[in-house]
Amino acid sequence: MLKKIVLIGGGHSHALVLRLFSNKPLSGVRLALITPDIYTPYSGMLPGHIAGFYSYSQCHIDLQSLSNFAHAQLCLDHVIGLDLKNNKVLCANQPAVDFDILSIDIGSTPTKFYVPGAAEYTIAAKPVARFLKHWYKLQENAVKSPQKALNIAIVGAGAGGVELALSMLAGLRKSEIHLFQSTKELMPSHHQSVRQIMRDILINKDIKLHLGERVCEVVKLINKRLTIKCESGLIVTCDQVFWVTQASAASWLKASGIGTDDQGFILVNDNLQSVTHPHIFAAGDIAKMINYQLPKAGVFAVRQGTPLYENLRGVILGESLKPYKPQTAYLSLIGTGDGRALANRGILTLRSHKLWWCWKDCIDRNFMAQFPHQ
């Protein structure tokens, strides 16, 4: 009997799964990918795209071409729920999709529901397609009014927020960037040496740091500008606010009955397999491994691609599953928007240099070279 593997989301892990299935197809299996967008961004090159180093096509994977190579059906739609009793994926605009084996790799979005005005007036860094639409509009406005300086606020100074601030400064030369962080330190999950070097870079580039400032409200003014209000009483008025705070999960996951943590992320074992539904797998940011504490970083999604593929095959073939063992320390190359990057691994940190950017550029281009282009 034919078995149907359905992939929800076009994240890094699923892109690699499709590439591996295209190289080594499995007889008696039908593949389907459900995702809202034909093109999926590669997070490693997205800051470089914003800074002007890469074109759109250079940093996006063409899921239509990739699906064709893997002989997979591509369904362009938003998933709104799961019917786990009948093994169906519920979609917004088309009939439910049946599955025998399901894998979920939909990433995460920044949490902003707790701040009044944030959901209505700010732009989340994810989903990337919506974020880029607003970013391109800002660039168009800058070209139309070259004498006008744009004030941009970024809420969240983790690695993503810091890299975004530096990239936006490079992509919009005539701009003033405000970076907000609720803690006294930026990039709190990184080593102190990384934080100090990045803080110096941000200050030298005249990015306004508001550390220890908790945003409590975002208000839209009559002239369409936005005001950020902080608990301390600090008020900053700007043209656009981008939201890059801690990650949150899609609400339909928890509602489906699959096992999740308190934040709604899917609980998986070492095989990337749901702890409550063994025929369901998850990878990338949306997965929460019960035996490891992993940050939400693209490096893990990339590394999970091969073991996820092997375990999807293993379930179909009745073979033993293989555990994914994340590395305890990993290389982090953080771009600074100016053709340089900072390198960090564990406690070792190397200051921003062109060499590290060339290294990062080589790694990213090699990753993208794996996938077909139209």
Side-chain angles (χ1 to χ4, degrees), residues 190-202:
H190 282 70
H191 191 266
Q192 175 61 37
S193 58
V194 178
R195 297 199 294 263
Q196 187 56 56
I197 292 171
M198 274 302 185
R199 180 172 179 147
D200 291 344
I201 290 172
L202 291 165

Side-chain angles (χ1 to χ4, degrees), residues 78-93:
H78 291 273
V79 172
I80 57 174
L82 298 175
D83 176 358
L84 296 182
K85 289 183 179 179
N86 299 298
N87 282 355
K88 293 178 182 292
V89 179
L90 308 179
C91 300
N93 303 304

Side-chain angles (χ1 to χ4, degrees), residues 38-59:
I38 290 180
Y39 300 99
T40 190
Y42 171 48
S43 61
M45 297 174 83
L46 195 61
H49 173 56
I50 294 164
F53 291 102
Y54 304 116
S55 67
Y56 182 92
S57 62
Q58 286 176 314
C59 65

